[in-house]
Amino acid sequence: MTQPPKSSTAPPGAPTMPGALPQQGSPAPAAPGPVAPGPAPTAVAPSRRTAFAEGVDQLRAVATTEPGRLRIIGAVLALLVVAFGAVTAWQATDRAAAADDVLNNSQPLSSAAADIYRSLADANTAASSGFLAGGQETKASRERYEKDIRTAAEKLVLAANNSEPNSRSAETISKLNRLLPEYKGLIERARANNRQGYPLGGAYLRYANATMQTEMLPAAEDLYKTENERLRDDYAHATPYPWAAIALGVLALAALAWAQHRTYVRTNRVLNHGLVAATATTTVVLLWLVIGHSVARAGLNDSYDHGVRSLNVLHDARIASLKARGNENLTLVSRGAETVEVGGEFKDKFDVAYQASMKDLAAGLAAAEDLADDQAGEQPVRAAAASMDVWKERHQQARDADDAGDYQAALSKIIGSKDDEPTGECFDNVDRSLETALKHETLEFEQAAGDGRDAMTGLPAGAAVLAVLGATGAVLGIGRRLSEYR
């Protein structure tokens, strides 16, 4: 019996196989309707790379090949050698200029400042000696005073020409230039009144001395100290080792050695002429720098230890002797008019100051003898010390005579003739001996400082030239290797 055909109708909602025809009785699929327009998709722009990043990429790409690596090595070697030469030239020039300032500027100005002080103090001493002589003032005493005033004026002009505008030294020099004519005017009034026997002359002299002691000499001493500080600053700039240049030189040599070793390992060639030449020039510059600066440093240190220190001590001793002589004269000029309390009793102000100055003189001479490094330096210092001892003895004799009321005997013992064995003779001997010692120490300073400065002569220019040659050698050496890849 025949079975009826099964219905092919699928239940509603059943999935339809792809490609299947619609079943009978099922509704036809609806036609698609219009689609609502939406925003168009936006294209994302790629981020822009920096020039540095692109350069790094290019460098990385170059470094992947042996020729590229060789080019980088050559550039680095040339840069290191040139940098070493440039820093060496700069630091050598800076230290050579400071050494030249020590020799030709700072120390001469320091000595000029000391001469200003000495001239002013000696002028004051000569003026008081002439005043004590009254109408019998000697021609030598007058000429000595005038010479000291001229010397002070000339040294002030020299110091003014070499000082920085608006600096502390310039202000001090301006003050001394203003006070010097005032002081001269007071001295002339003192002399005029003294010749006529007026007591007012002594008052003018004491006022002139007060101007000198409280304003002019402190200003001159301040100028001396300022110039000494400037001298020490120049030494501080001239003597330090050029560590930056030395470090660059060592680094350049290490890089050159590494490059040659790399070439040997890759080619089995012992020498690369260009790199050897670069190494040789760099070694020469480094040795020249180290040895030259060591010699310069030794010379400058020697000029300070055996020149500047001795000169400073001798200048201080000479200043102390001038102060002592001036106070000794003023002791007789004031005749007890001015006193100070010492140990519960009143003593003459100027005699107390004289004793203090003599102690400073003795200490200065002892220090100068210790610093003297040869017989020529020791002998004048010992002669000055011997004259100082005689000076003390004669001064005590003068004080004993004055205390006993014998003013004329005391005066003769201070400013009398040679037969009177005056203290003035001892003072002159001390001053001459110190001047001799100063000349000797100045020569030693100039020789040592000159040797120190000359040790660096030619180093800046030589370092620059050799650095260029070394960099050229490095480039040519690497170029020789590059030619093998063409």
Side-chain angles (χ1 to χ4, degrees), residues 71-156:
R71 290 188 179 93
I72 295 173
I73 292 171
V76 171
L77 291 177
L79 180 62
L80 280 175
V81 174
V82 170
F84 169 51
V87 174
T88 297
W90 164 55
Q91 291 196 313
T93 300
D94 183 63
R95 281 155 178 75
D100 188 71
D101 284 341
V102 166
L103 180 62
N104 296 316
N105 195 358
S106 305
Q107 200 284 324
L109 281 178
S110 177
S111 292
D115 287 340
I116 290 171
Y117 191 105
R118 189 207 66 80
S119 298
L120 292 174
D122 194 59
N124 196 50
T125 298
S128 60
S129 297
F131 184 90
L132 287 173
Q136 290 77 39
E137 180 181 7
T138 63
K139 180 181 179 181
S141 176
R142 178 74 182 188
E143 289 179 347
R144 181 171 182 167
Y145 167 81
E146 296 292 346
K147 180 182 177 181
D148 286 332
I149 293 296
R150 285 195 304 271
T151 300
E154 291 170 359
K155 296 294 184 180
L156 283 171

Side-chain angles (χ1 to χ4, degrees), residues 49-76 79:
R49 306 191 65 209
T50 64
F52 176 77
E54 293 178 356
V56 170
D57 288 345
Q58 293 176 3
L59 185 62
R60 187 181 293 113
V62 169
T64 59
T65 64
E66 180 61 13
R69 286 191 289 267
L70 287 173
R71 290 188 179 93
I72 295 173
I73 292 171
V76 171
L79 180 62

Side-chain angles (χ1 to χ4, degrees), residues 32-38:
V35 179

